DNA sequence: CGCAGGTTTGAACGCAGTCAAGGATCGTGG
DNA sequence: CCACGATCCTTGACTGCGTTCAAACCTGCG
C-alpha cells in the first residue's frame, strides 16, 4: 500500500498510524466489534475467521506482510483476526485514514484495488468450499502456498513451509484435521509430496497437484 | 450508486454508459474474459458464478436492481454472469469510469464501500459453504431472501418469491437440487414454511428458521 | 524420563450425493 | 380444449465421502 505514497510523505503517514505487535495466538480483531481501525500486516502472519455460535470456525484467509485488513467491515468487523506465530501490524484509525485519502486521492483507488483483489480470491474460495472434493481442496491449498512464494514455478519440486497447524488448514478448507492429515498421507504415498516435518513439505510433482486442484484429476 | 452524483451531472454519467437488456438465461460476462466494463443492474435479476473444468458450478451471488458488478476483476473477470428471468443493465467501460471518478472523487469511495459490503457478505457465505449443514444452508437462504425485502420483519409470517430455479439455489448453497428439495419438504412437514407454488413460499415461523440458520437449531 | 499437545491412523457411522422413478406444471399443436 | 412432450421438481432407495470417535504415535520440553 505504501507504494502509492511518496517517500517524502511517509512522515504524514506515520503520524496517522501506530505500530503494534501481537503475540502468537493472540486475537486483535473481535468479530462483530465496532470497526474503528484498518490494519496493515508488516511482519509475521495473521489468520482471519468467522465463528458460528456453537464454535464451528471458518478461516476466511491468511494474511502476511503487506496485506491490508479491515476492508470487509462497515460499522462492525465481519471477521475476527488472530496472530499466527507472532505478527507486527500498523494500525490506522478510520478518521486518520480518511485524512490520508483526502491528502492522497489515489490511495482510495489503491484501497479499491485491494478490495477487488480480495473479492476475486474469495470467489475462488467459494468454489473451493462449495464444489471441490477434499482431495481437490488440499491440493488447491498446497498450490496456493506455492504462489505466495517470491518465484512461483511449478515445473520443478517446491519446498513449502506451512506455518499454520492442521487445525487451521482444516478450518480454512472446510474439512476436519483428520481428513487433511489423511489426504496429505495419501499424497505422500502417491509420491506427489514428501513430508520432511510437520511444517515442512516438498511438492514433488507440483503440476500434477495443480491438475488435481482444478478438479481435472 | 447514482445517489453519490448530482442530478445535474446525470448527463455526463449517461454519456459514459450504455444501457443493455439481457434475455432470460443469457450470459453477458464470460469468466476469464478480459474485464473491460463495469455493470449496474437497473432491472430484473442476475446470477454470478464460477465454473470448474468439468462443469461443477458455484453461484457466488444473485444481484438485483442497484447492484454493482465487475469489482471482483482486475484484468479479467473472476466470474461469469447470466440474466435470471431477463435483466436490464448499465454498462460502464473502464476508461469512462475512470473519467467519472476523476470528475466525482467520492465515487471512488462509493465503489470501495460497495466492495466492502460485498466482502462482508462473502465472509458469511464462506462460513455457510465451509461449515453449515444442509438444513442450516437452506434456512440461511430463506432468511437472506427475507432481508432483501423492503421491510424485513421476522416477527410475523413472510411471503417470499423465489425467482430462481432449484438448480440455482443448489449451486448457490453448495448442495444438490435433491437435497434442497428434500429440506424444503421437511420444513413444510415441520410447519415452518408453506409452499404455495414452486416459486411462492411463506415462512410461517421466520424466527425459528433464523435460529436454524445460525446453527442454534 | 514422562507428560502434554498436536498429529496420524483405524474403524464405524451418518449426512448429503447419486441414481432412478414418479409428479407437477407449462407451452404447443392437433 | 385436451393430449402430448418437455422441463423442472419431488420422492425413494442406496452408496460413498468425509466425519466422528477412539487409540496410537510423534516431538519438544520440563
Amino acid at each position: 500500500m505504501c507504494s502509492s505514497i511518496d517517500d517524502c510523505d511517509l512522515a504524514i503517514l506515520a503520524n496517522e498510524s501506530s505500530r503494534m505487535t501481537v503475540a502468537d495466538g493472540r486475537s486483535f480483531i473481535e468479530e462483530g466489534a465496532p470497526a474503528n481501525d484498518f490494519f496493515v500486516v508488516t511482519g509475521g502472519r495473521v489468520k482471519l475467521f468467522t465463528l458460528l455460535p456453537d464454535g464451528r470456525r471458518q478461516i476466511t484467509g491468511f494474511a502476511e506482510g503487506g496485506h491490508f485488513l479491515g476492508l470487509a467491515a462497515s460499522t462492525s468487523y465481519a471477521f475476527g483476526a488472530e496472530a499466527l506465530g507472532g505478527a507486527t501490524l500498523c494500525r490506522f484509525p478510520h478518521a486518520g485514514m480518511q485524512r490520508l485519502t483526502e491528502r492522497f486521492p489515489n490511495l482510495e483507488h489503491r484501497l479499491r484495488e485491494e478490495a477487488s483483489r480480495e473479492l476475486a480470491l474469495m470467489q475462488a474460495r467459494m468454489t473451493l468450499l462449495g464444489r471441490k472434493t477434499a482431495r481437490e481442496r488440499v491440493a488447491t491449498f498446497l498450490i496456493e502456498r506455492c504462489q505466495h512464494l517470491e518465484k512461483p514455478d511449478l515445473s520443478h519440486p517446491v519446498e513449502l513451509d506451512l506455518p499454520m497447524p492442521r487445525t487451521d488448514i482444516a478450518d480454512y478448507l472446510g474439512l476436519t484435521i483428520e481428513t487433511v492429515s489423511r489426504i496429505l498421507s495419501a499424497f505422500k504415498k502417491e509420491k506427489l509430496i514428501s513430508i520432511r516435518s510437520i511444517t515442512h513439505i516438498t511438492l514433488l510433482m507440483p503440476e500434477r497437484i495443480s491438475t488435481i486442484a482444478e478438479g481435472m484429476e
Side-chain angles (χ1 to χ4, degrees), chain A:
Chain A
M1 145 175 135
C2 307
S3 60
S4 69
I5 293 178
D6 243 304
D7 284 347
C8 57
D9 294 323
L10 278 176
I12 302 175
L13 189 132
N15 205 39
E16 297 292 5
S17 68
S18 59
R19 317 194 107 273
M20 58 189 279
T21 74
V22 186
D24 184 23
R26 228 20 188 288
S27 158
F28 61 96
I29 294 180
E30 205 75 38
E31 184 178 354
N36 300 318
D37 303 294
F38 291 110
F39 297 89
V40 174
V41 182
T42 53
R45 286 183 175 81
V46 145
K47 55 187 167 192
L48 311 173
F49 55 87
T50 61
L51 296 170
L52 289 175
D54 62 1
R56 277 174 286 175
R57 186 178 67 154
Q58 176 65 45
I59 291 189
T60 54
F62 299 104
E64 27 203 305
H67 245 85
F68 204 94
L69 304 185
L71 288 170
S74 43
T75 57
S76 59
Y77 293 112
F79 56 88
E82 190 175 307
L84 182 62
T88 59
L89 302 164
C90 242
R91 181 215 303 259
F92 295 83
H94 281 187
M97 185 59 90
Q98 190 167 348
R99 279 192 291 276
L100 286 176
T101 55
E102 281 159 9
R103 180 92 171 71
F104 309 104
N106 63 339
L107 174 58
E108 187 81 66
H109 182 71
R110 194 61 195 70
L111 290 179
R112 183 177 51 125
E113 274 183 353
E114 195 64 27
S116 287
R117 212 185 44 78
E118 194 70 20
L119 275 172
L121 285 177
M122 287 215 178
Q123 305 252 11
R125 226 165 281 156
M126 288 178 65
T127 309
L128 178 142
L129 294 172
R131 286 302 180 213
K132 287 191 181 177
T133 66
R135 245 176 100 81
E136 289 161 3
R137 293 182 202 201
V138 174
T140 306
F141 174 74
L142 293 173
I143 295 299
E144 269 183 26
R145 288 287 109 193
C146 286
Q147 282 152 357
H148 288 194
L149 298 175
E150 55 291 349
K151 178 192 71 74
D153 173 15
L154 299 185
S155 61
H156 300 295
V158 185
E159 288 195 20
L160 284 183
D161 201 75
L162 305 182
M164 65 289 288
R166 298 282 186 269
T167 313
D168 288 352
I169 300 178
D171 283 349
Y172 178 70
L173 298 177
L175 300 169
T176 61
I177 50 173
E178 292 94 330
T179 301
V180 171
S181 183
R182 263 186 263 274
I183 287 171
L184 286 176
S185 298
F187 282 170
K188 180 173 147 196
K189 194 164 294 176
E190 299 172 37
K191 302 257 190 281
L192 295 171
I193 67 174
S194 81
I195 304 178
R196 316 182 72 174
S197 81
I198 285 176
T199 61
H200 200 180
I201 287 183
T202 306
L203 308 197
L204 301 173
M205 307 178 67
E207 282 163 332
R208 279 225 52 214
I209 293 174
S210 175
T211 309
I212 295 172
E214 305 308 318
M216 301 184 303
E217 197 60 357

